[in-house]
Amino acid sequence: MADFSHYRVFKDHQVSEMLPHEGSEHRGDADDPVAQMAKSLKIDIIKLTEDTIEFDLVGVDAAMANALRRIMLSEVTTVAIETVWFADNTSIIQDEVLAHRIGLIPLKVDPKKLTDVVDGEETDQDTIVLYYNVECTNEKVTKPDGTEGYLNEMAYSGSLTWVPQGDQEKIFPDGIRPVHDDIVLAKLRPGQRIEFEAHCRRGVGKDHTKYSPVATASYRLLPAIDFQQKVTGKDAKALKEMCPMNVFDIEDLGGVPTATVARPRDCSMCRECIRQEGWSDRVRLRRKADHFLFSVESVGAIPPEVIVQEAIAILKAKAVKFRNLVDDYNM
């Protein structure tokens, strides 16, 4: 029978090891985890765009990293549509289903400029009012793709209009609008119409996912790739070709083509470089236990860097509250 063992992704000697926390063997305060974290904690922003942020969180354990991720998902405050009153809905979509779709539309609103609704009594300090009225008619129009269609045959989120209440025009001088104007709420045919009023308020993702400010928030450990022995010549070229993520480069070291680890962040731990016989003795794959590569994508309601800042502030407040409870118990 053929031996397929060398095709296995996981072998006992291939499972990636975990590097110890950076510098832990040199610390004299090993019994004080807070002091350890204060010395080693570091945040490096790798990439920042309008909708995404990538950063390195160094010097903490997985519990702290996961707490930060979960807070970004479920405890950072945003504004979303909470209640919908339909004046007319003759589309094919039922009111309940359409209301759910409407509630998921991300809104460009700064939640700090609103307060929370108290005892269910809405005011201009805590509630945003939006109005929507779209009717499909028999009028023929040319669509962007060059084909013909009916006017308003697609009900888009861009037709939502803000109805200022009280002094809201001063509070929100740039206006209030959906993050994206091209979200399809429903498809209409001539004679069908959707009209409703929507009330928006503050909330957090643990109450409903429509309040979550992120599309994705994830992290992974930084790969650490070492050579047990030098890889040169034809072997260096073979190693570079084996890696689908282009992690390795070939450099001329002392006149000898030698494989080097050029892009460890791109490594996905697919183990292609050690799958073939003999390579696991030459290349060692590990991960740094306290170096987390975070990737956060905002839905657009709040800038990604603000989401991270808010999450850190919430985590800090939780730690202070817990410390105060422990201090009160010990008194």
Side-chain angles (χ1 to χ4, degrees), residues 22-193:
E22 188 170 337
S24 59
E25 66 276 10
H26 302 298
R27 294 176 184 143
D29 45 33
D31 295 331
D32 188 351
V34 176
Q36 289 183 14
M37 184 181 299
K39 287 183 178 181
S40 60
L41 180 61
K42 182 172 63 173
I43 296 178
D44 293 326
I45 297 177
I46 306 302
K47 179 182 177 182
L48 178 61
T49 67
E50 184 178 356
D51 297 320
T52 62
I53 183 172
E54 295 179 9
F55 65 94
D56 289 7
L57 179 62
V58 185
V60 300
D61 58 17
M64 188 70 68
N66 197 47
L68 183 63
R69 184 189 70 88
R70 291 177 65 88
I71 289 173
M72 286 189 279
L73 287 169
S74 61
E75 296 191 52
V76 175
T77 302
T78 64
V79 176
I81 294 172
E82 177 69 16
T83 312
V84 179
W85 283 274
F86 285 102
D88 195 5
N89 176 25
T90 53
S91 72
I92 196 173
I93 303 180
Q94 302 94 329
D95 289 358
E96 295 84 354
V97 177
L98 183 56
H100 184 265
R101 290 177 63 86
I102 294 167
L104 293 173
I105 299 173
L107 304 175
K108 200 75 172 178
V109 185
D110 184 356
K112 294 181 179 178
K113 294 183 178 180
L114 293 175
T115 60
D116 293 321
V117 176
V118 179
D119 298 330
E121 294 293 330
E122 296 180 344
T123 69
D124 61 329
Q125 302 297 315
D126 54 44
T127 303
I128 301 293
V129 177
L130 302 175
Y131 178 71
Y132 192 89
N133 186 6
V134 172
E135 181 176 3
C136 181
T137 67
N138 284 308
E139 181 182 346
K140 291 291 187 73
V141 295
T142 301
K143 296 189 287 187
D145 60 1
T147 61
E148 282 195 347
Y150 295 107
L151 180 66
N152 293 331
E153 68 178 13
M154 304 287 279
Y156 288 110
S157 58
S159 297
L160 276 169
T161 57
W162 173 43
V163 183
Q165 307 294 311
D167 295 330
Q168 288 183 352
E169 285 183 300
K170 296 180 180 178
I171 299 174
F172 302 99
D174 297 329
I176 294 172
R177 58 180 178 80
V179 173
H180 305 288
D181 292 334
D182 57 353
I183 300 174
V184 178
L185 302 185
K187 294 183 178 180
L188 305 178
R189 302 302 291 172
Q192 292 182 337
R193 177 168 169 261

Side-chain angles (χ1 to χ4, degrees), residues 134-310:
V134 172
E135 181 176 3
C136 181
T137 67
N138 284 308
E139 181 182 346
K140 291 291 187 73
V141 295
T142 301
K143 296 189 287 187
D145 60 1
T147 61
E148 282 195 347
Y150 295 107
L151 180 66
N152 293 331
E153 68 178 13
M154 304 287 279
Y156 288 110
S157 58
S159 297
L160 276 169
T161 57
W162 173 43
V163 183
Q165 307 294 311
D167 295 330
Q168 288 183 352
E169 285 183 300
K170 296 180 180 178
I171 299 174
F172 302 99
D174 297 329
I176 294 172
R177 58 180 178 80
V179 173
H180 305 288
D181 292 334
D182 57 353
I183 300 174
V184 178
L185 302 185
K187 294 183 178 180
L188 305 178
R189 302 302 291 172
Q192 292 182 337
R193 177 168 169 261
I194 297 175
E195 181 184 4
F196 62 83
E197 181 176 293
H199 288 195
C200 318
R201 62 174 63 174
R202 284 161 44 106
V204 292
K206 63 182 178 182
D207 293 333
H208 195 287
T209 191
K210 66 186 177 184
Y211 289 111
S212 181
V214 298
T216 58
S218 62
Y219 63 79
R220 60 189 179 95
L221 291 169
L222 177 69
I225 307 169
D226 303 315
F227 292 115
Q228 304 285 73
Q229 53 186 275
K230 285 187 177 182
V231 179
T232 61
K234 293 182 179 180
D235 289 344
K237 183 178 180 181
L239 177 62
K240 180 175 172 60
E241 292 175 351
M242 276 191 289
C243 180
M245 303 305 294
N246 195 30
V247 170
F248 302 100
D249 267 348
I250 299 176
E251 296 183 5
D252 190 348
L253 301 179
V256 179
T258 305
T260 60
V261 182
R263 290 165 289 276
R265 297 177 65 90
D266 294 343
C267 178
S268 62
M269 290 290 174
C270 67
R271 297 175 175 80
E272 285 295 327
C273 59
I274 60 174
R275 197 181 303 279
Q276 297 184 23
E277 186 175 354
W279 280 100
S280 60
D281 298 327
R282 308 177 72 178
V283 180
R284 182 172 61 173
L285 301 180
R286 297 184 294 171
R287 294 183 175 94
K288 285 197 172 184
D290 65 342
H291 194 139
F292 298 88
L293 312 182
F294 268 84
S295 177
V296 179
E297 180 182 355
S298 170
V299 298
I302 303 175
E305 67 274 17
V306 175
I307 295 174
V308 176
Q309 292 170 356
E310 291 289 326

